[in-house]
Amino acid sequence: MTRDVPEDPRAARTRARLREALLAECAERPLAEVGVAALVRRAGVGRATFYVHYADLEALAVDACADIVRDAVDALHAWRGRPDPVRAPAALLEFFAGLPPHAALYRTLLSPGGGGPLGRVLHRDLRSRSLTERRLAGASDAPLVASAVAATFAGVLADWLHGLIEVSPDQVAHQVWQLLVALHASR
């Protein structure tokens, strides 16, 4: 039996410092060039403390980028009522517009097609949210559409970040929105 145990505030603060330090390091150099020594120095924690919280730099990077996953899932579900089939919700436009500052890090963790460690987290969380909403709506195709929505969004996001889709943030938001609305409308 698992219980929701409140997180130790000290551990939460340490992880937040490590995430902030990683984002600052990655603003200056690619993740592959970031070392644990420089990272812990910037975060003001010991090397052993880093390893108490994370197995490696990739695990920290995925955790640091977890907000992008939450933001993406929330942006895709930010509308109420009947969705506009052409225009993306404002939250989705804001999501894509906010990606460039850390795009290099996201590209490292999200491979073309939507794979990679961040892609797996995005797919899992988006599929779960879509599945819940489709089931609440009584859709018999809930698992299929939830998988298609997650794969489509993760793939388009990754390909756009990697420059395989050469459009503006607003354009990609509207285009991926149109695809997702069409998937939800399928019977």
Side-chain angles (χ1 to χ4, degrees):
M1 175 169 89
T2 60
R3 294 183 354 204
D4 289 331
V5 178
E7 183 176 29
D8 177 356
R10 292 172 299 167
R13 281 192 302 273
T14 299
R15 280 194 296 280
R17 287 173 41 199
L18 287 165
R19 288 189 302 266
E20 289 168 17
L22 180 81
L23 292 174
E25 287 288 322
C26 288
E28 298 169 4
R29 66 187 57 79
L31 179 62
E33 295 177 13
V34 173
V36 173
L39 177 79
V40 296
R41 212 173 12 261
R42 184 176 280 229
V45 301
R47 190 177 188 95
T49 300
F50 170 82
Y51 288 109
V52 165
H53 296 282
Y54 299 101
D56 54 27
L57 283 172
E58 184 179 277
L60 169 58
V62 170
D63 186 38
C65 294
D67 285 341
I68 186 180
V69 172
R70 283 187 290 280
D71 291 347
V73 171
D74 289 345
L76 287 173
H77 295 88
W79 57 275
R80 293 291 169 249
R82 184 170 213 115
D84 182 327
V86 177
R87 298 211 30 91
L92 189 59
L93 294 166
E94 291 169 16
F95 168 76
F96 276 98
L99 293 174
H102 299 295
L105 178 58
Y106 301 147
R107 282 191 297 273
T108 300
L109 301 170
L110 187 62
S111 58
L118 188 59
R120 287 187 293 276
V121 173
L122 177 59
H123 188 278
R124 180 197 66 217
D125 290 0
L126 185 51
R127 185 183 187 285
S128 174
R129 179 92 168 257
S130 293
L131 184 61
T132 298
E133 291 197 4
R134 295 291 291 175
R135 285 185 171 151
L136 286 173
S140 61
D141 62 352
L144 176 68
V145 172
S147 290
V149 164
T152 298
F153 185 79
V156 169
L157 172 62
D159 288 357
W160 180 72
L161 285 168
H162 282 277
L164 301 174
I165 300 171
E166 296 180 9
V167 296
S168 71
D170 279 4
Q171 289 170 313
V172 74
H174 291 306
Q175 291 170 354
V176 76
W177 178 252
Q178 291 164 17
L179 290 171
L180 298 175
V181 168
L183 285 170
H184 278 280
S186 68
R187 294 283 173 226

